[in-house]
């Protein structure tokens, strides 16, 4: 439950039988920077095959390591994994290692399309990398 003061909602989900619930302590307001750091690392860890418990711990460590976050240790402790007595030592995704990274054209993203010819590589690069 990705929200401040979400402990009650999290407890409700857990008591309804949801095996893994991440929420914030009921009395806590969560900083956006902490929520973003936790969420990124938590879901990445899940996606590569880590257990829910390992992913939760990685998310907490990411919050603690976030630069320019005041009281990072306190922010980290606001995250809760429910049910507290649940078995979270299970992966959500069955990630398998790959032997070799898929090959792609090394400069494919830097080549201007027909519509971009004459406008320069800088403009085409900004389209691929999120610039304006």
């Amino acid at each position: 439950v990705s929200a401040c003061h979400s402990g009650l909602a999290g407890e409700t989900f857990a008591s309804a039988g949801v095996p893994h619930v991440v929420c914030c302590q009921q009395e806590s307001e969560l900083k956006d920077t902490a929520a973003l750091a936790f969420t990124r690392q938590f879901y990445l860890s899940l996606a590569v095959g880590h257990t829910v418990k390992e992913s939760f711990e990685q998310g907490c460590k990411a919050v603690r390591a976030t630069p320019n976050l005041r009281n990072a240790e306190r922010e980290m402790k606001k995250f809760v994994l429910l049910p507290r007595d649940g078995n979270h030592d299970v992966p959500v995704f069955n990630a398998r290692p790959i032997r070799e990274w898929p090959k792609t054209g090394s400069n494919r993203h830097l080549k201007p399309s027909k519509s971009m010819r004459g406008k320069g590589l800088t403009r085409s690069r900004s389209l691929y990398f999120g610039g304006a």
Side-chain angles (χ1 to χ4, degrees):
V1 182
S2 185
C4 298
H5 313 287
S6 60
L8 183 58
E11 292 285 353
T12 303
F13 281 110
S15 65
V18 176
H20 315 291
V21 179
V22 175
C23 60
C24 181
Q25 294 174 353
Q26 183 62 30
E27 63 279 359
S28 296
E29 186 170 309
L30 195 59
K31 294 186 178 173
D32 289 342
T33 306
L36 183 59
F38 179 89
T39 302
R40 282 181 175 167
Q41 187 58 51
F42 176 73
Y43 285 112
L44 176 62
S45 293
L46 283 178
V48 298
H50 291 208
T51 67
V52 175
K53 181 181 177 183
E54 291 167 336
S55 299
F56 180 82
E57 290 167 353
Q58 289 296 316
C60 289
K61 287 178 184 177
V63 173
R64 187 173 55 212
T66 300
N68 302 320
L69 176 61
R70 278 193 195 162
N71 302 313
E73 187 80 20
R74 187 175 72 204
E75 286 296 308
M76 176 193 77
K77 291 178 181 178
K78 292 178 182 179
F79 292 93
V80 180
L81 179 57
L82 301 174
R84 293 186 195 276
D85 62 348
N87 178 16
H88 303 295
D89 289 320
V90 293
V92 173
F93 301 107
N94 185 13
R96 290 175 276 148
I98 57 172
R99 291 184 200 166
E100 186 177 319
W101 195 256
K103 294 184 189 269
T104 61
S106 61
N107 291 326
R108 184 183 75 183
H109 62 281
L110 296 177
K111 293 179 183 175
S113 66
K114 289 181 181 179
S115 64
M116 295 300 295
R117 286 194 184 130
K119 295 183 180 176
L121 190 55
T122 305
R123 176 69 178 141
S124 106
R125 187 178 298 135
S126 69
L127 291 175
Y128 287 101
F129 297 113

